[in-house]
Structures are given as structure tokens and as C-alpha cells.
Amino acid sequence: HGAAEPEETGTEALSRRTPAPAWLPTAKGEEGDFCLRSSDCAAGLCCARHFWSKICKPVLREGQVCTRHRRKGAHGLEIFQRCQCAEGLACRLQREHSGPADASRLHTCQR
């Protein structure tokens, strides 16, 4: 009879509803905080994948390297996502070409 007791207790614990996980931020997340969507993060930050979780990262400023996706949905395949460029900036091929033509296909946030 004693062996059945832990089993019942385990079933009770599983059926109980629990509040949101403790790691979910109650206020807007700061840089490096876990998030589910960009609205979970403070102003100037977005929610982006970092390994297999998502954290608040800074929105990109002018001159910073950005990611331009050729295929729709490719953003979801990245392990280290970057935020989009800040408002008023676009992710474009870097203008300066110093070196072999294919040496740098770098995109940066530009006006």
C-alpha cells in the first residue's frame, strides 16, 4: 500500500495549474533577459534567438552589421538572430568595396 502513495501525489502535482514560469519577466526585459516576443523587451530592444532560447537584444544602429534574408522565413533558421535596423534605417549591402569583389557581402544599417 505504501508504494501507491507517491504515485497518487505525483498525479495530483501534475494536474495542478501553475502560474507563468518564473523566468518570464513581469516588467519589460533588459538586454540579455529571456523573452517570447519583442513586446516583452524594453524600448530599443527586440526579442531574438540566442542558441535555443530567445533574449532581448539591441535594435541595430546606423553602420552596424545586419542580416538580409533572400528567402522568406530564413530568419527562423538562425541560431544567433540579430534585431532589425532602427526606424529610418534599411539593411543594405555595404557601400565601401576595398578588396576582391566577393570578399565582403556585408550588409549594414544605412539611411
Side-chain angles (χ1 to χ4, degrees), residues 37-107:
R37 60 193 66 83
S38 291
S39 60
D40 296 336
C41 301
L45 302 173
C46 82
C47 188
R49 186 172 292 114
H50 188 81
F51 286 112
W52 291 272
S53 59
K54 292 175 106 179
I55 62 170
C56 296
K57 294 183 179 185
V59 169
L60 301 176
R61 296 184 308 273
E62 189 170 7
Q64 290 187 307
V65 174
C66 53
T67 306
R68 179 112 185 230
H69 298 286
R70 295 180 187 275
R71 291 191 324 263
K72 198 172 187 167
H75 197 62
L77 303 175
E78 293 178 296
I79 291 178
F80 297 105
Q81 287 178 335
R82 291 185 176 111
C83 289
Q84 300 296 320
C85 296
E87 201 170 321
L89 301 176
C91 187
R92 296 192 186 116
L93 190 61
Q94 197 166 344
R95 291 183 187 128
E96 303 88 45
H97 295 291
S98 55
D102 286 349
S104 175
R105 302 229 11 115
L106 217 53
H107 287 76

